[in-house]
Amino acid sequence: MAEAALMPLRPWVSRLTGPGAKQQQPLSRARLFLLALLLMTLSAGAFAADDAQPGQAGQNAAAVYVSDSAFADVMDGLRLAIEERGFIINKVMHMNEMLERTGADLGMDEALFGEAQSVEFCSSALSRRMMAEDPSRIVNCPFIIAVYTLPDEPGKTLVAHRRFSAGEVASSAVMQEVASTLESIAEQAVSW
């Protein structure tokens, strides 16, 4: 896997080390540092990928819940779970429609989902506390929970939301609240 990650760099590296390289100006320290940093980053990612088991790519990136209820029922449950907590739904994004439309334009006609919608919502108080503690958490706002079905499993509806790192949740009371809020909303949605 490390070999595959370095393949795109070969033509560039050969220009630095191959025939005619002596005529080029030597690399500055800054460029050497950046090249070394790039190579370390690529090889670290490649070796980490070697350690992953098949089918585990992005396993911790999302929390996924499963329901045997119909898609529309789970969507109703999700809307209710969000609104009864006093949160405002900003937008419902029709992901499947967008993917089908753009897929046809790109020549990628394979159906990724049976149905798929993402619900974008906000809690101004919770979001503000989260970002006051760490401004980079702006990337977590607005909150999004997706509901979808897969073409080959029409009797199953899935609900997914972003999962935060265990360290971030353990070290922050507000992130514990954010994580448990998303979890309880998703669990309520799949219970319909």
Side-chain angles (χ1 to χ4, degrees):
M1 187 65 160
E3 183 73 18
L6 297 176
M7 291 290 281
L9 296 177
R10 284 200 175 142
W12 190 74
V13 171
S14 69
R15 276 188 257 144
L16 296 175
T17 59
K22 293 178 184 175
Q23 289 92 18
Q24 296 176 1
Q25 292 191 5
L27 292 175
S28 69
R29 285 186 178 175
R31 286 185 178 175
L32 280 173
F33 173 76
L34 290 174
L35 177 60
L37 186 62
L38 174 67
L39 290 173
M40 287 187 312
T41 303
L42 287 174
S43 46
F47 291 122
D50 283 342
D51 294 338
Q53 298 298 316
Q56 288 184 335
Q59 181 178 9
N60 293 328
V64 181
Y65 307 79
V66 181
S67 173
D68 58 0
S69 297
F71 177 85
D73 292 337
V74 175
M75 279 298 297
D76 287 343
L78 178 60
R79 284 186 185 99
L80 181 63
I82 292 168
E83 290 171 349
E84 75 180 16
R85 286 168 175 78
F87 300 157
I88 305 297
I89 294 176
N90 299 329
K91 182 189 284 188
V92 176
M93 296 166 282
H94 300 271
M95 302 301 294
N96 193 48
E97 293 171 17
M98 180 272 301
L99 289 168
E100 285 182 4
R101 185 179 60 253
T102 57
D105 293 342
L106 297 170
M108 300 173 172
D109 295 334
E110 181 183 349
L112 300 175
F113 299 100
E115 298 181 72
Q117 295 182 9
S118 292
V119 179
E120 177 186 285
F121 62 99
C122 188
S123 161
S124 55
L126 191 56
S127 294
R128 185 167 182 84
R129 287 182 22 233
M130 175 180 66
M131 287 181 263
E133 189 174 272
D134 181 350
S136 70
R137 291 184 182 145
I138 192 170
V139 300
N140 299 327
C141 191
F143 303 122
I144 297 174
I145 297 181
V147 178
Y148 60 97
T149 61
L150 300 172
D152 57 344
E153 300 179 66
K156 186 167 41 169
T157 302
L158 298 104
V159 174
H161 63 79
R162 188 176 292 137
R163 183 181 300 212
F164 305 103
S165 73
E168 184 176 25
V169 172
S171 66
S172 167
V174 70
M175 289 309 293
Q176 289 171 14
E177 187 177 349
V178 169
S180 68
T181 298
L182 292 176
E183 181 180 312
S184 66
I185 290 171
E187 288 175 349
Q188 187 175 339
V190 296
S191 70
W192 276 65

